[in-house]
């Protein structure tokens, strides 16, 4: 399995699939998952002739479980190291949830020299938590509840999330997939407790407003209007207004995991945007 040794000695696991000479599409996963969460999109695009790259964020999946550095500044610097190593250029970056924050801050900090387009899928920007300047955000007690649940019984909490709001399986008449639930739990439990715990603050309290304003390439925002984890009102609808070249597609009835549930629709939307 391919690993990149980073500047501090940590090893970053990554997948590099498809046509080695094809256009590049990169994927950043959400909390507390791994690159495995993008497998449907990666296989689809690889079969279309693209080179698809995804990594397990440090502390997640198969990457080194570092004690420190579980924050957005470190994550995007790791990603820049990976892009240099793999000679990424003219890429399309795709990020889901916390990974959408990673894409946004990467572009805000490291610029768009390697990237021609980006896609934010049910992503956390611009800011999730409620503050004086962000009164529509979620109360801090929501995220305190996450931390309390992790301390009490992480394994059960990591079953409750996919059985409920993540995939929208708590909605009436939802077609529940035990496979999706098990896959989410497996990925989540492979992430270190410390990383998963620290990242609750990272995805909820990081303000991506200025990053969004700096991005000068086209960005497609995909968001479900029934996202119970990152409500569209505080995220997608705001992000598209801050982006210089942002466009929005709303998935009617879509959950937080549209790329896992509305697989064909998301795949085709990605392909259309990449080709366009």
């Amino acid at each position: 399995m391919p690993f990149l040794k980073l500047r501090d000695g940590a090893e970053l696991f990554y997948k590099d699939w498809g046509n080695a000479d094809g256009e590049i599409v990169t994927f950043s996963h959400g909390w507390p998952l791994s690159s495995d969460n993008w497998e449907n999109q990666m296989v689809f695009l690889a079969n279309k002739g693209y080179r698809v790259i995804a990594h397990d964020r440090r502390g997640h999946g198969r990457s080194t479980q570092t004690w420190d550095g579980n924050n957005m500044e470190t994550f995007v610097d790791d990603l820049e190291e990976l892009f240099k190593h793999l000679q990424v250029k003219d890429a399309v970056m795709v990020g889901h949830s916390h990974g959408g924050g990673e894409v946004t801050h990467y572009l805000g900090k490291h610029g768009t020299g390697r990237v021609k387009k980006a896609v934010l899928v049910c992503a956390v920007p611009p800011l999730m938590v409620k503050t004086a300047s962000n009164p529509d955000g979620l109360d801090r007690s929501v995220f305190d509840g996450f931390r309390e649940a992790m301390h009490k019984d992480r394994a059960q909490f990591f079953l409750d999330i996919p059985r409920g709001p993540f995939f929208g399986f708590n909605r009436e008449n939802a077609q529940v997939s035990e496979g999706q639930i098990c896959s989410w739990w497996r990925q989540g439990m492979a992430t270190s407790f410390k990383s998963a715990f620290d990242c609750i603050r990272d995805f909820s309290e990081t303000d991506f407003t200025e990053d969004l304003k700096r991005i000068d390439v086209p960005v497609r925002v995909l968001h479900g209007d029934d996202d119970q984890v990152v409500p569209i009102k505080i995220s997608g609808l705001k992000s598209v207004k801050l982006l210089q070249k942002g466009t929005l597609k709303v998935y009617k009835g879509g959950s937080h995991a549209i790329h896992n549930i509305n697989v064909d629709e998301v795949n085709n939307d990605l392909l259309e945007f990449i080709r366009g």
Side-chain angles (χ1 to χ4, degrees):
M1 293 192 293
F3 288 88
L4 172 65
K5 182 167 285 189
L6 299 168
R7 60 205 174 279
D8 63 349
E11 293 189 322
L12 198 72
F13 171 82
Y14 65 91
K15 301 174 183 178
D16 187 355
W17 295 353
N19 179 4
D21 298 318
E23 293 182 64
I24 296 174
V25 185
T26 71
F27 293 89
S28 293
H29 63 79
W31 177 90
L33 306 174
S34 73
S35 56
D36 293 352
N37 193 242
W38 282 116
E39 60 186 11
N40 280 315
Q41 287 69 44
M42 293 182 70
V43 169
F44 174 78
L45 291 174
N47 282 331
K48 297 292 184 181
Y50 292 90
R51 179 185 177 192
V52 293
I53 298 168
H55 67 295
D56 293 355
R57 204 169 293 124
R58 69 164 62 213
H60 297 66
R62 288 138 291 203
S63 294
T64 301
Q65 296 191 357
T66 52
W67 187 255
D68 298 312
N70 302 307
N71 56 70
M72 195 54 63
E73 291 299 317
T74 305
F75 295 149
V76 301
D77 289 347
D78 291 349
L79 195 54
E80 175 66 359
E81 280 197 59
L82 180 65
F83 284 0
K84 286 180 179 178
H85 175 68
L86 297 177
Q87 300 181 338
V88 169
K89 60 182 180 178
D90 297 324
V92 177
M93 294 184 75
V94 184
H96 170 248
S97 193
H98 192 196
E102 182 178 68
V103 169
T104 300
H105 191 53
Y106 174 87
L107 295 173
K109 181 176 182 179
H110 291 286
T112 55
R114 298 180 183 277
V115 180
K116 63 181 180 180
K117 294 180 181 180
V119 183
L120 303 179
V121 182
C122 301
V124 296
L127 175 62
M128 286 195 70
V129 73
K130 181 188 291 186
T131 64
S133 59
N134 188 45
D136 295 328
L138 300 178
D139 194 86
R140 195 176 303 272
S141 63
V142 173
F143 307 108
D144 288 341
F146 285 8
R147 286 181 274 261
E148 182 180 350
M150 277 197 66
H151 274 306
K152 182 179 180 180
D153 188 346
R154 175 167 79 132
Q156 184 59 51
F157 182 47
F158 279 11
L159 281 176
D160 294 340
I161 294 173
R163 280 181 175 161
F166 191 88
F167 297 108
F169 291 158
N170 55 342
R171 295 308 197 200
E172 187 176 0
N173 298 321
Q175 295 185 349
V176 177
S177 166
E178 289 297 325
Q180 291 279 18
I181 293 168
C182 291
S183 179
W184 199 102
W185 185 89
R186 174 187 59 80
Q187 292 175 63
M189 293 302 292
T191 292
S192 79
F193 187 104
K194 181 67 160 51
S195 295
F197 189 87
D198 288 353
C199 284
I200 295 172
R201 178 177 182 178
D202 195 58
F203 72 67
S204 66
E205 297 184 27
T206 301
D207 190 340
F208 300 96
T209 300
E210 295 305 314
D211 292 320
L212 290 165
K213 292 178 181 178
R214 290 190 194 104
I215 299 172
D216 58 3
V217 296
V219 180
R220 185 71 159 151
V221 178
L222 307 180
H223 217 110
D225 66 3
D226 191 32
D227 188 333
Q228 301 170 67
V229 179
V230 183
I232 190 172
K233 178 182 177 182
I234 67 169
S235 51
L237 295 181
K238 289 188 174 182
S239 289
V240 74
K241 294 178 181 178
L242 294 167
L243 290 160
Q244 297 179 36
K245 300 177 182 178
T247 55
L248 172 69
K249 176 178 177 179
V250 178
Y251 283 64
K252 185 173 178 58
S255 69
H256 186 55
I258 54 175
H259 62 301
N260 300 136
I261 301 300
N262 307 77
V263 174
D264 292 339
E265 188 175 0
V266 169
N267 287 353
N268 288 325
D269 285 340
L270 288 176
L271 183 62
E272 180 182 6
F273 179 69
I274 293 165
R275 286 178 170 172

